[in-house]
Amino acid sequence: MDIKTIEDVALLARLNLTPDEISGLRGDLENILAYADQLSALNTEGVQPLAHPGDIVNALREDEVVGSLDRAVLQRNSPKSDDGFYLVPAVLGEAKLTQE
Amino acid sequence: MVKSKDYDLIVGLEVHVQLQTQSKLFCGCCTSFGAQPNTQTCPVCTGMPGALPVLNRRALQLAIRTGLALNCDIATFTKWDRKNYFYPDLPKGYQVSQFDLPVCGAGYLAISDPSSRLESKPIRLIRAHLEEDAGKSLHDEAGGLSDTRIDLNRAGTPLLEIVSEPDIRSPLEAKAFLSELKLLLGYLGVSDCNMQEGSLRVDANVNLHVLNDDQLSVATPIVEVKNLNSFRAVERAVTYEAERQWKLWQQDKLTIDQRPKQTRGWNDAEQVTVPQREKEESADYRYFPDPDLVPIVLTADEISEYRADLCELPSEIRLRLQKDYEVSAYDSDVMVNQGRECVQYFEAVAKKTNQGKLAANWIQQHVLQVINDSDCEIEEFPVNVDRLSSLIEKVHAGELDNSRAKDVFQAMLTDPSPLEQVIKALGIENVADDELETICRELLEQNPQIVTDYQGGKKQAIGSLIGQAKKKNPNANPGRVRELLIQIIENT
Ligand SMILES: [Zn+2]
């Protein structure tokens, strides 16, 4: 696995990795991939792709409003909130256009 | 505008429609617009660990209904996938969407081609899938506030994303497609399509087909213009992009495979598209099946039942009105495009009076004019079905001429009394035949030239006498006056 791939994955996961951490992770990730790769050894000819491991389908609920959770309770999970809003560090630039 | 000799404009649209449900797609939080921030959220739609989403039956039904009305193949097996990206208004770090097995497959929507008004052109659809909306980020650029404020009330609201093939060839066609789609969704009761409230949002994929130096047709790179939230914005952004891309092509001669798809935004204030900063990894959403949500299986019988339950669609009503009431294609189009309520109003009047054409004329020329100018709904229009019907009956019976009928109609807008009273209040009464005859004889004596002209074959010469008769008595019925004038001339 090359360094570039690890950097790409780290970016996707929003991880700021040092060069040391990247080289450590390289071995770990290669082990993980090799472990998962054992599955490729199986003969899957004629096996239907599985969309979900369970047997259940069509789990549906009626379109009814049930009470939401109290805002104050939920916002205890947030480091910063004000006037009912969650506050996050400014996301300007492209953000301005992707949301109204 | 599009100079067809220089290039062909190629447009595909992605339309996000908010489905009219009471509760969110995967939880019971209310979907109503305008509540206090973060008062319509729960552990499911704020992405708390361990929360279990369950699909809203109505959202699925509305998606299937829309798919059928759009002539889509409905999937007998459909599933849920996670589209992974980080953004503060997406609390789970992924959006639940449908990747490879959408609920609605290929279909089409016929639009009337704006260049030849009523000729139909199908715009093919690639697919339509269900997904959840994100929350809202409120950025404070002007105030210098460092934080962005997040409201998650909208997070988890059901959306249907409808994706067209690049079959649209002009800004006008783009607008026609959206108008027809909006109309259809309204008839289906699927969405209110309120663009101010973000119930309908559009992304446009735009590029050009041009001739290269070897006179071969090539495609220019695709540009996606995001988040257009009015039909006018779509029309203008597409027009702007066509011109911008044409200029760019003349300079750089880059083709579709020489440059990746770019994302731009529409700046409404400046009427330009502007490049959006690309997230480096934006193309990599790492879709995978959502293990928390089970697949949906639909039998062919169930799909047939949905099809049987479908209401009459605008395209069908347009044809039926022409057939059943002998109204013109144009009149039928105008009334259907006005909405279901207008069609019901028309049909009630047409049935009551047995005068489809006359009813269509009155609605098209008078009723809709008032309604569209005053922003009033047809259900609360002061001249209701019964009142318009009685007026039309009088016109048809020849008891009111057109210009007097218009006066009566105007008066009815503010005077709720019965028709007879409104007519009386305007001083309109039938003039007895002998009185009309006296007027006609007088006029003919005063205008011997007209009599001569008429007898010489210039039948239209008596037209001016009808006007004069109306001056002598405003209640004189022009039709009857004409009859009497002819009668008198021919019997002398
Ligand atoms: Zn919720």
Side-chain angles (χ1 to χ4, degrees):
Chain A
M1 181 178 247
D2 59 32
I3 300 286
K4 176 80 173 65
T5 307
I6 296 173
E7 285 172 349
D8 289 348
V9 175
L11 178 68
L12 287 171
R14 295 292 187 274
L15 295 175
N16 241 331
L17 300 178
T18 65
D20 274 358
E21 285 171 318
I22 288 178
S23 63
L25 279 169
R26 192 178 185 175
D28 291 347
L29 284 171
E30 276 170 355
N31 279 338
I32 292 166
L33 288 178
Y35 176 71
D37 240 12
Q38 293 177 61
L39 288 171
S40 311
L42 293 171
N43 180 2
T44 55
E45 216 177 289
V47 177
Q48 287 295 310
L50 193 65
H52 195 275
D55 293 331
I56 310 167
V57 296
N58 299 357
L60 295 160
R61 43 170 271 277
E62 298 311 312
D63 180 27
E64 281 160 10
V65 174
V66 296
S68 294
L69 195 60
D70 189 62
R71 180 169 74 191
V73 174
L74 274 165
Q75 290 194 335
R76 272 186 230 140
N77 292 297
S78 155
K80 217 172 163 189
S81 61
D82 178 51
D83 204 17
F85 290 96
Y86 296 92
L87 296 184
V88 298
V91 274
L92 278 172
E94 143 271 352
K96 191 187 148 219
L97 286 157
T98 53
Q99 290 298 324
E100 60 276 56
Chain B
M1 275 315 295
V2 188
K3 287 161 274 176
S4 55
K5 48 188 177 298
D6 288 336
Y7 56 79
D8 287 323
L9 174 62
I10 312 293
V11 180
L13 297 177
E14 293 171 19
V15 185
H16 294 83
V17 179
Q18 187 184 320
L19 300 178
Q20 238 168 3
T21 57
Q22 303 296 312
S23 65
K24 292 186 181 180
L25 188 54
F26 297 115
C27 64
C29 290
C30 182
T31 52
S32 64
F33 181 82
Q36 290 296 305
N38 295 303
T39 51
Q40 293 172 175
T41 64
C42 74
V44 173
C45 57
T46 55
M48 293 294 141
L52 260 190
V54 185
L55 180 63
N56 183 332
R57 183 189 302 276
R58 172 118 182 117
L60 177 68
Q61 288 169 340
L62 294 178
I64 295 169
R65 192 186 290 175
T66 308
L68 288 168
L70 291 171
N71 311 290
C72 293
D73 301 323
I74 305 299
T76 50
F77 185 95
T78 181
K79 72 172 177 53
W80 307 95
D81 301 281
R82 293 183 178 182
K83 178 180 180 179
N84 298 280
Y85 66 94
F86 281 117
Y87 204 76
D89 57 25
L90 189 74
K92 294 194 292 292
Y94 61 83
Q95 177 192 27
V96 179
S97 182
Q98 301 195 290
F99 182 54
D100 55 339
L101 297 172
V103 59
C104 309
Y108 66 88
L109 175 66
I111 59 165
S112 31
D113 190 343
S115 59
S116 55
R117 192 69 190 108
L118 290 166
E119 224 172 284
S120 178
K121 165 180 174 174
I123 303 295
R124 290 169 303 153
L125 304 172
I126 298 172
R127 57 185 279 165
H129 66 259
L130 271 166
E131 63 184 25
E132 56 177 353
D133 206 346
K136 264 187 201 173
S137 303
L138 294 109
H139 310 286
D140 182 78
E141 316 98 273
L145 242 175
S146 57
D147 287 326
T148 290
R149 295 181 299 162
I150 308 290
D151 176 8
L152 297 179
N153 282 349
R154 201 179 65 184
T157 299
L159 297 179
L160 188 70
E161 181 176 337
I162 301 162
V163 185
S164 90
E165 293 276 5
D167 284 353
I168 293 163
R169 291 288 172 275
S170 70
L172 275 177
E173 281 190 5
K175 198 175 158 206
F177 175 81
L178 293 169
S179 305
E180 186 66 13
L181 182 62
K182 182 179 170 183
L183 187 72
L184 181 69
L185 295 168
Y187 273 84
L188 291 171
V190 159
S191 174
D192 63 6
C193 295
N194 185 331
M195 294 192 87
Q196 280 80 42
E197 294 179 4
S199 301
L200 194 148
R201 306 195 290 272
V202 183
D203 302 335
N205 287 293
V206 183
N207 73 336
L208 309 177
H209 284 177
V210 292
L211 291 178
N212 67 10
D213 292 342
D214 301 328
Q215 295 301 301
L216 295 171
S217 177
V218 291
T220 61
I222 295 176
V223 170
E224 180 174 14
V225 188
K226 294 284 248 187
N227 272 302
L228 297 160
N229 40 26
S230 75
F231 288 4
R232 201 167 56 177
V234 174
E235 210 181 345
R236 291 186 175 173
V238 169
T239 306
Y240 179 87
E241 265 307 300
E243 285 169 8
R244 191 189 67 82
Q245 291 182 23
W246 170 240
K247 280 186 199 133
L248 193 65
W249 159 257
Q250 288 169 297
Q251 290 162 15
D252 67 14
K253 301 279 173 184
L254 285 182
T255 56
I256 190 162
D257 37 11
Q258 292 170 312
R259 188 169 193 183
K261 177 163 146 179
Q262 290 169 279
T263 308
R264 294 177 76 89
W266 174 244
N267 182 325
D268 208 48
E270 315 235 330
Q271 299 281 299
V272 294
T273 63
V274 288
Q276 292 191 329
R277 183 147 49 92
E278 312 267 336
K279 289 179 248 163
E280 288 164 64
E281 78 280 23
S282 64
D284 193 353
Y285 289 122
R286 293 149 296 141
Y287 282 98
F288 66 88
D290 191 320
D292 288 342
L293 287 158
V294 299
I296 298 297
V297 174
L298 294 163
T299 64
D301 282 352
E302 283 170 317
I303 296 170
S304 304
E305 272 172 45
Y306 276 108
R307 197 185 299 276
D309 279 352
L310 217 54
C311 69
E312 196 182 18
L313 304 178
S315 53
E316 297 165 342
I317 302 175
R318 286 193 189 99
L319 296 177
R320 185 172 60 78
L321 296 189
Q322 292 173 51
K323 193 172 143 278
D324 290 1
Y325 303 99
E326 292 177 333
V327 302
S328 70
Y330 178 79
D331 282 355
S332 165
D333 197 48
V334 169
M335 293 189 293
V336 171
N337 290 359
Q338 186 74 25
R340 181 200 299 280
E341 292 75 15
C342 179
V343 172
Q344 284 166 347
Y345 180 87
F346 162 73
E347 290 204 76
V349 175
K351 280 185 184 136
K352 231 179 152 82
T353 58
N354 219 359
Q355 295 299 323
K357 267 186 183 164
L358 205 51
N361 283 343
W362 271 88
I363 290 172
Q364 217 246 101
Q365 290 169 19
H366 305 294
V367 177
L368 290 185
Q369 200 175 8
V370 178
I371 284 180
N372 294 337
D373 286 350
S374 65
D375 236 18
C376 137
E377 300 289 330
I378 207 156
E379 294 100 317
E380 58 204 31
F381 189 63
V383 185
N384 63 18
V385 168
D386 288 347
R387 303 186 81 209
L388 184 66
S389 299
S390 53
L391 179 62
I392 286 175
E393 275 162 354
K394 280 228 178 297
V395 173
H396 180 65
E399 291 167 38
L400 273 177
D401 67 74
N402 264 327
S403 77
R404 303 253 62 181
K406 277 177 214 166
D407 295 341
V408 175
F409 178 78
Q410 284 302 324
M412 286 167 96
L413 294 173
T414 47
D415 183 351
S417 340
L419 179 62
E420 297 299 341
Q421 272 179 40
V422 177
I423 291 175
K424 215 169 165 197
L426 287 174
I428 298 172
E429 52 194 23
N430 272 331
V431 186
D433 250 16
D434 53 348
E435 193 185 333
L436 276 186
E437 208 178 315
T438 313
I439 294 174
C440 289
R441 284 189 190 283
E442 270 173 40
L443 286 172
L444 290 171
E445 274 162 32
Q446 290 158 8
N447 298 279
Q449 186 56 45
I450 288 178
V451 179
T452 317
D453 287 348
Y454 180 87
Q455 285 166 336
K458 279 180 72 183
K459 308 259 180 207
Q460 72 274 26
I462 57 169
S464 70
L465 294 186
I466 296 169
Q468 289 188 46
K470 284 211 76 143
K471 266 183 209 143
K472 282 181 188 278
N473 186 333
N475 286 317
N477 181 319
R480 187 65 191 141
V481 169
R482 175 183 294 273
E483 280 169 19
L484 286 170
L485 286 170
I486 294 171
Q487 218 175 313
I488 297 165
I489 295 175
E490 288 181 351
N491 292 340
T492 43

